[in-house]
Amino acid sequence: MYKIQFRNPQGRLVTAQNRDAETIQKLADQARHEMPETHEVRVREVVQDQASGDFIWADCTADFTR
């Protein structure tokens, strides 16, 4: 599961969740295209913490903003 957050052209924070990495990539590309300087894209993925076994949101923004 992925969660993406970004600013739309009106300046509002948009949040979406999806299991498909391709969909998240399309949203990240769209955000960067519409607002190149101020898109503030942030992508997180649910992963399991090795130490505690808990599921946490881990930042993976770099994977989607190259």
Side-chain angles (χ1 to χ4, degrees):
M1 175 67 72
Y2 295 95
K3 181 189 293 187
I4 184 171
Q5 294 180 311
F6 59 92
R7 296 266 174 210
N8 68 10
Q10 292 78 29
R12 295 188 180 108
L13 185 64
V14 177
T15 302
Q17 289 186 13
N18 200 302
R19 294 183 189 278
D20 182 31
E22 260 185 53
T23 302
I24 297 297
Q25 183 65 61
K26 287 178 187 175
L27 289 171
D29 291 344
Q30 177 183 350
R32 289 185 324 188
H33 174 73
E34 289 178 355
M35 297 191 56
E37 293 86 27
T38 59
H39 53 72
E40 299 178 26
V41 172
R42 182 174 179 193
V43 181
R44 292 177 284 169
E45 180 180 17
V46 173
V47 295
Q48 189 170 20
D49 182 17
Q50 296 295 326
S52 66
D54 293 339
F55 289 94
I56 59 171
W57 288 104
D59 189 281
C60 61
T61 302
D63 296 339
F64 292 92
T65 57
R66 293 184 198 158

